[in-house]
Amino acid sequence: MPLGKLYLIGAGPGDPELLTLKAARVLGQCDVVLYDRLTTPGVLALARSDAELVYVGKHDGEQEREQARIFELILEHATAGRSVARLKGGDPLVFGRGAEEWEIAVAHGIEVEFIPGISSAIAVPGLAGIPLTFREVSRSFAVVTGHWKSGTNMEWSPYAKIDTLVILMGTKQRALIANSLIAAGRSPSEPVAFVEQGSLPDQCVVETDLRTVAEGKVEVEGPAVMVIGEVVRQRNRLVE
């Protein structure tokens, strides 16, 4: 039996209208859709009506076990000749372990096609009225994961002087991140924004400063994108 094909598809930040035309077209053709917890119903509605939809979302304490299951599902369906859409929120290659799935498919002779998605790191701040770069305010930005292995310490000093920081998956660790950045040299008064449910109808923005986050006084509902830098102040000029 001929092998199937794996499509690594970026689902964007959530709004189905932010998928690329190619992503929507391919999603409507695949036999199987493996989707994560950030995939919205509107995006799934674009799948073929008779496609097999398989939820493979990861939760705390289950990441490695679920990732192993994803590898198995990709190989199981593709070796059976099916076309597999691996649908990931944002872009599959931005903190999504998409490259690992690509690698294991190639190792088993399975063809892979990558279809980029709009990363929430770029789209969500903009949708909230926060430009990541702005003349004379921010000439650089970095996208950083706020999730790291238990028992390890992340080194934040390399990010002390970057104008704008975008932190994904950092909601739970927000106080630790803020304290670490202050210790690394960032100003406690630097503005911070959390954009919850970015691109969706219930999008919400929480504006504060690094000191308040460090003190654990900011309530945030995940998933949320954390933005740190003077560009956060531009929101007052861009959003009515």
Side-chain angles (χ1 to χ4, degrees), residues 152-165:
T152 62
N153 293 317
M154 184 162 174
E155 177 57 59
W156 289 95
S157 58
Y159 307 106
K161 295 185 178 181
I162 294 173
D163 294 328
T164 305
L165 293 181

Side-chain angles (χ1 to χ4, degrees), residues 19-102:
L19 263 73
T20 64
L21 292 172
K22 186 171 187 178
R25 174 177 61 79
V26 172
L27 184 56
Q29 297 172 347
C30 285
D31 301 311
V32 181
V33 179
L34 308 179
Y35 67 98
D36 64 20
R37 66 187 183 90
L38 297 179
T39 305
T40 59
V43 172
L44 285 177
L46 299 172
R48 207 175 73 198
S49 60
D50 61 342
E52 181 179 351
L53 305 181
V54 183
Y55 175 69
V56 291
K58 300 171 189 173
H59 301 277
D60 287 346
E62 302 176 352
Q63 289 92 337
E64 293 305 318
R65 181 177 61 191
E66 191 59 37
Q67 188 63 54
R69 175 173 171 254
I70 292 168
F71 291 152
E72 292 173 359
L73 287 168
I74 288 171
L75 298 180
E76 173 190 335
H77 289 291
T79 54
R82 303 184 185 102
S83 55
V84 181
R86 176 63 175 110
L87 195 59
K88 289 174 172 284
D91 183 276
L93 303 186
V94 179
F95 302 127
R97 301 187 71 171
E100 296 175 44
E101 295 165 15
W102 189 339

